[in-house]
Amino acid sequence: QVQLVESGGGLVQAGGSLGLSCAASGRTFSNLPMGWFRQAPGKEREFLATISWSGSTIFYADSVKGRFTISRDNAKNTVYLQMNSLKSEDTAVYYCAADPDGSWLDPCSWGSWGQGTQVTVSS
């Protein structure tokens, strides 16, 4: 059981960077895999990255490999998504997620979600 709150979104020019944070509350946080997803208007929620509790297992969507970095600091109950070289197609609401029950790559497998933070990339 965990509650999640994203922050760090905003407006950025193409080629710029943003760092997102996901603050978690709940005593089980340190033992949970975490994920980042995004959803653009009218589109399905899209997998971005997942990370195991230790940080030893990480998966990225092909669209963000080499540009985005997921990390976590269990002592701070926080998961991060550093986004570099942003493109207009990165514009979306970004969500962090916890409590997977199935494929980490499938949004439907995650049981807990933050409220989302808007990222808008302008050209």
Side-chain angles (χ1 to χ4, degrees):
Q1 181 179 321
V2 63
Q3 291 75 49
L4 308 170
V5 180
E6 303 94 337
S7 63
L11 177 65
V12 63
Q13 289 188 320
S17 299
L18 281 176
L20 305 182
S21 297
C22 175
S25 61
R27 300 182 70 180
T28 62
F29 175 79
S30 63
N31 294 322
L32 292 173
M34 299 289 295
W36 283 99
F37 297 78
R38 67 187 179 191
Q39 189 166 20
K43 296 186 178 181
E44 297 293 321
R45 192 160 296 187
E46 176 190 9
F47 162 76
L48 296 176
T50 63
I51 185 169
S52 63
W53 73 269
S54 68
S56 62
T57 301
I58 294 175
F59 296 96
Y60 292 103
D62 288 341
S63 61
V64 304
K65 286 181 181 177
R67 299 191 300 123
F68 291 10
T69 302
I70 188 172
S71 61
R72 68 190 297 165
D73 186 337
N74 293 338
K76 296 181 179 180
N77 294 330
T78 302
V79 177
Y80 305 97
L81 186 69
Q82 178 62 44
M83 307 185 296
N84 300 323
S85 301
L86 284 163
K87 308 172 182 178
S88 60
E89 55 262 42
D90 295 319
T91 295
V93 177
Y94 283 68
Y95 299 90
C96 62
D99 302 328
D101 184 14
S103 173
W104 293 6
L105 310 184
D106 182 3
C108 295
S109 296
W110 295 78
S112 299
W113 294 87
Q115 84 287 355
T117 185
Q118 177 70 48
V119 173
T120 302
V121 183
S122 66
S123 60

